[in-house]
Amino acid sequence: MTRALIIVDVQNDFCEGGSLAVRGGAQVAADISDHIDGQAASYDYIVATQDWHIDPGAHFSEEPDFKDSWPVHCVADTKGSEFHRDLDTESIDAVFRKGQFEAAYSGFEGVKAPDDEVPTGDQKLGGGAAEVDEDPMTLDDWLQDHEVDDVVIAGLTTDYCVRATALDAIQAGYGVTVLVDLVRGVHDDKAEQALEELEAAGVELAG
């Protein structure tokens, strides 16, 4: 059985000080790093998703409702779109960017970043805004190519991108676990509802 950790959108704009900050986002970044440090042997692969907006239309609004429209965030090639400094990126095998020209919540809507832009401890992502891949690789493509059976999900946010990624993973036929101590939500009540929905859909909730 082949297992992958999917780190969802642990980016500067979703952590304290960012344009769409989630309370506890920076702590999630640090806690995921600790998890990787202690549990790396549990995973065959580690991948990450990244909001990467260029012109996402009505996803951005000057008067956001914080449900379907949002303040400007995670604009491609800006500091806000970079992974948070407390997230250890050295073990990440591939990065999948989503939402370039439309709203996109699920990591399964993302396409693979160029290999030379996958971050390590000495690199940052960048340079992707102007590039168009004529045959992009999706997250599902990559997982299938690497014969992944089970995915474990952590990151931001519980009620939006974590939820959507987990539901799409279930739909695609993977065994799915969400690490509830390594996620945070935008809205506390919706985050709780999202976890209940995921469990009902067949997602395992683990501490």
Side-chain angles (χ1 to χ4, degrees):
M1 187 170 293
T2 305
R3 195 176 191 218
L5 175 65
I6 302 176
I7 303 168
V8 177
D9 298 0
V10 182
Q11 297 166 258
N12 287 328
D13 271 347
F14 296 136
C15 297
E16 289 82 351
S19 64
L20 190 49
V22 176
R23 188 176 69 251
Q27 188 63 55
V28 164
D31 289 346
I32 291 174
S33 295
D34 289 343
H35 177 77
I36 293 172
D37 187 50
Q39 300 292 326
S42 299
Y43 302 108
D44 298 283
Y45 302 102
I46 298 175
V47 301
T49 69
Q50 192 180 32
D51 252 13
W52 195 254
H53 296 309
I54 298 171
D55 183 13
H59 188 60
F60 286 172
S61 174
E62 293 182 1
E63 297 180 356
D65 62 14
F66 294 91
K67 294 180 180 178
D68 299 306
S69 60
W70 307 91
V72 174
H73 62 276
C74 296
V75 173
D77 288 319
T78 65
K79 186 164 183 65
S81 66
E82 293 176 7
F83 292 117
H84 191 273
R85 65 181 181 275
D86 290 339
L87 178 68
D88 181 0
T89 59
E90 291 185 357
S91 299
I92 291 175
D93 295 298
V95 172
F96 297 85
R97 296 172 176 159
K98 57 188 174 63
Q100 285 89 334
F101 298 103
E102 59 187 357
Y105 295 100
S106 171
F108 285 83
E109 298 176 79
V111 295
K112 186 176 178 292
D115 286 338
D116 61 359
E117 295 181 25
V118 174
T120 68
D122 300 318
Q123 294 179 319
K124 295 179 180 178
L125 290 175
E131 297 180 7
V132 176
D133 189 338
E134 294 181 357
D135 188 23
M137 175 172 279
T138 67
L139 175 57
D140 190 39
D141 293 335
W142 194 94
L143 293 172
Q144 289 191 45
D145 283 353
H146 291 80
E147 300 182 341
V148 172
D149 306 295
D150 289 347
V151 298
V152 178
I153 299 173
L156 304 170
T157 62
T158 313
D159 37 345
Y160 288 92
C161 296
V162 167
R163 170 188 173 275
T165 301
L167 289 174
D168 278 356
I170 284 284
Q171 184 67 30
Y174 298 97
V176 184
T177 301
V178 168
L179 300 177
V180 296
D181 292 338
L182 299 180
V183 296
R184 294 291 187 279
V186 176
H187 310 288
D188 290 344
D189 56 343
K190 289 191 68 175
E192 188 61 35
Q193 292 170 10
L195 292 176
E196 292 173 359
E197 178 186 6
L198 293 178
E199 190 169 34
V203 174
E204 180 180 351
L205 303 182

